[in-house]
Structures are given as C-alpha cells and as structure tokens.
C-alpha cells in the first residue's frame, strides 16, 4: 500500500466511523475507486483501533465516571453510583446482544450482500430511518438516570443491523436510542461509548493477521503508521464535529447524504463486484 493510499483510507475511516453514514460502505467505495483490496479483516480492524483510541481519549472522563461508578456500586451499593452502574450494565447488555446476534448472522450474510447494489440499498435504508426518526418521531427527554433494560435491548438489536454492509452502526444506535425515548445528548453519548466494546470485540476476527505478521508484510509499516495517525486525527475531528452539529442541526442532512451516496454506488460502481468484507 502506498503512503497516499494509506492517508486516504485513514481519512475516510476517521471521518465516517462515527457519522451515521456507514464507515464500512465508504471504505468499500474507496477500495473500489482506488482499485485496492484489503488483505483480510486485519487492516480495517487496525483502522478501527485508531478510531476507538480517539473515542477513549475524548470520552476519558465519562469512561472513568462509568467505570468507577460501576465498581463503587458493587462494593457499597451507594445511590450516588447507582446510575453509572446501570449505565455500564446497559452498555454490556447491548454489546452482548449485538455480539451474539452478529455471530449468528455472519453466515447468513452471503456474497449477494457484499456487492455495490446491496450496499446502495443499505445506505438508502439508513437515510430513510434517519428521516423517519427526525420527521415522524417526537424526541424523548429521558437521560441515563431514567434508562431501562428495555432501552439497552432495543439499541442492541438496532446495533446488530450494522452487520449488514452499508448500514451505519452509529446511525442504527442513534435512531433506536431516540426511538426508545432517550434524549439526544444521552443517545449520542450512549452510541459513542457502545462503539468501544463492539469494535474491540470484532478485533477477534483479525487476531490471526496481527499475530502472524500478515498485516505488516502486505500493507507495510510506513503505510500502517500513516493510516493510523490519519484515522485517529480525523476520528477525533469527526467526534467533535458531530456533537456540535447535532446541537444545532438535524439528522435529515445525513439522510440526504446517504441517498446521494446510494445513487452513486448503484449507478457508477461495478454492480457485479463482490467485496471481501
């Protein structure tokens, strides 16, 4: 992989990872446009590590509050730590649902779902649900103190849809969290923190590429360094931008983008191509 390709992949991954527009779809589109096929899962998971590092650092205070509150409640059952304990439980519940169903659905996702037409349809579906939640569902105002197990189950099921190429993980979690009645701020925070265990868990799929040297030999150390740094920087910028954007604007703009991307993928990419995801 050239340095330029590594930089492009890093930028694309970083910008799209946390926006509700499907990073997987954009990585696939970028591979097709550049004529480069990833060597297995390893490189994509590697880029996800950079994105997760950005989330962990940006939300470090929130993470520490949840972790210490979780541990504290186990030791003293104090009312002060109860909210953070259950917030941590809801993250675990949603992650377990996504993990189990994701494994069960992995075999169901055949070659027909790894083609540009399917990805285009999935992008359009993402855009449709963003419009539905924005235009036809009244936002709730429940915060993390008022969350329930039902919320975590709904979001976990929604997040599972992201196993289909082109369905945005962040979009699915945001839509289902808002549909469940959570406030926008709580839904965004929950979505970001949920990304950490989900993406780290998916790294198991690529453990072989990391341990046998395949990733280094096929991509190259310079390209790995450049792509990681680019992904981290643009993931950070994406997080900051999305949080500020949602304070002032609406999800419908992401829906419009998804529709445009879907049209581009369907009409301008090779529809017979099968992507090894």
């Amino acid at each position: 992989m050239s340095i330029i390709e590594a930089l492009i992949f890093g930028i694309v991954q970083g910008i799209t990872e946390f926006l509700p527009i499907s990073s997987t779809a954009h990585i696939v589109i970028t591979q097709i446009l550049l004529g480069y096929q990833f060597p297995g899962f390893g490189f994509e998971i590697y880029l996800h590590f950079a994105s997760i590092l950005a989330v962990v650092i940006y939300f470090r205070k929130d993470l520490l509050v949840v972790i210490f509150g979780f541990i504290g409640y186990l030791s003293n059952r104090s009312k002060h730590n109860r909210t953070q304990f259950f917030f941590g439980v809801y993250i675990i519940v949603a992650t377990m649902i996504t993990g189990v169903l994701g494994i069960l659905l992995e075999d169901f996702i055949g070659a027909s779902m790894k083609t540009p037409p399917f990805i285009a349809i999935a992008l359009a579906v993402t855009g449709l649900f963003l419009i539905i939640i924005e235009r036809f569902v009244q936002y709730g105002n429940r915060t993390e103190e008022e969350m329930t197990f039902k919320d975590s189950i709904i979001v976990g099921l929604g997040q599972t849809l992201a196993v289909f190429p082109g369905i945005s993980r962040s979009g699915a979690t945001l839509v289902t969290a808002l549909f469940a009645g959570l406030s926008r701020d709580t839904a965004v925070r929950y979505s970001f923190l949920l990304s950490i265990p989900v993406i780290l868990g998916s790294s198991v799929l690529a453990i072989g590429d990391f341990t046998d040297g395949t990733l280094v030999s096929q991509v190259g150390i310079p390209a790995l360094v450049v792509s990681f740094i680019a992904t981290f920087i643009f993931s950070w910028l994406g997080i900051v931008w999305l949080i500020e954007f949602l304070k002032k604007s609406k999800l419908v703009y992401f829906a419009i983008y998804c529709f445009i991307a879907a049209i581009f993928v369907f009409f301008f990419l090779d529809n017979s191509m099968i992507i090894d995801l």
Side-chain angles (χ1 to χ4, degrees):
M1 181 182 294
S2 70
I3 297 299
I4 296 299
E5 288 173 332
L7 181 62
I8 292 173
F9 281 125
I11 292 173
V12 171
Q13 166 63 27
I15 290 177
T16 61
E17 176 62 40
F18 301 111
L19 302 185
I21 56 176
S22 178
S23 63
T24 297
H26 284 77
I27 286 295
V28 168
I29 294 170
T30 305
Q31 287 184 76
I32 295 174
L33 293 178
L34 294 181
Y36 185 92
Q37 186 73 35
F38 285 174
F41 289 103
F43 185 63
E44 189 171 358
I45 297 299
Y46 173 79
L47 295 183
H48 282 147
F49 274 132
S51 293
I52 287 303
L53 180 60
V55 174
V56 170
I57 294 177
Y58 186 88
F59 286 95
R60 60 190 182 279
K61 293 182 180 178
D62 298 77
L63 275 173
L64 290 175
V65 168
V66 173
I67 291 171
F68 285 120
F70 189 94
I71 297 173
Y73 186 78
L74 288 176
S75 62
N76 56 36
R77 293 294 194 277
S78 69
K79 185 177 180 180
H80 174 72
N81 293 321
R82 187 178 185 279
T83 296
Q84 299 308 321
F85 170 79
F86 279 101
F87 192 68
V89 169
Y90 299 146
I91 290 176
I92 294 172
V93 170
T95 301
M96 290 179 64
I97 291 173
T98 300
V100 172
L101 293 181
I103 293 173
L104 295 176
L105 288 171
E106 188 67 29
D107 293 335
F108 175 74
I109 301 176
S112 62
M113 297 183 185
K114 300 177 182 179
T115 59
F118 185 88
I119 291 174
I121 293 172
L123 281 168
V125 169
T126 296
L128 177 62
F129 277 98
L130 288 173
I131 287 179
I132 290 174
I133 197 67
E134 189 71 69
R135 296 297 187 187
F136 302 105
V137 177
Q138 184 175 2
Y139 280 178
N141 54 12
R142 291 192 297 115
T143 62
E144 59 192 56
E145 289 86 356
E146 301 165 288
M147 285 184 67
T148 65
F149 278 100
K150 180 182 177 181
D151 298 322
S152 63
I153 293 172
I154 291 174
V155 175
L157 292 173
Q159 187 172 234
T160 303
L161 296 176
V163 301
F164 296 101
I167 297 292
S168 167
R169 189 211 64 85
S170 60
T173 54
L174 277 174
V175 166
T176 50
L178 292 171
F179 177 79
L182 299 182
S183 67
R184 182 179 290 202
D185 289 343
T186 301
V188 170
R189 181 169 177 261
Y190 190 40
S191 175
F192 274 119
L193 295 182
L194 265 178
S195 68
I196 299 173
V198 168
I199 296 177
L200 288 178
S202 67
S203 65
V204 175
L205 297 173
I207 193 67
D209 292 341
F210 289 110
T211 56
D212 64 8
T214 301
L215 197 59
V216 173
S217 64
Q218 295 189 353
V219 177
I221 293 178
L224 288 174
V225 173
V226 169
S227 61
F228 190 92
I229 293 174
T231 299
F232 175 83
I233 292 173
F234 282 91
S235 291
W236 183 283
L237 294 176
I239 293 169
V240 174
W241 183 81
L242 178 62
I243 291 174
E244 291 302 314
F245 179 87
L246 291 179
K247 290 179 180 178
K248 307 171 185 177
S249 300
K250 298 182 180 296
L251 292 171
V252 67
Y253 295 109
F254 292 113
I256 293 172
Y257 176 86
C258 285
F259 291 139
I260 294 173
I263 292 172
F264 172 80
V265 171
F266 190 84
F267 289 103
F268 295 99
L269 296 186
D270 183 358
N271 288 345
S272 63
M273 183 175 292
I274 297 175
I275 307 299
D276 184 18
L277 295 173

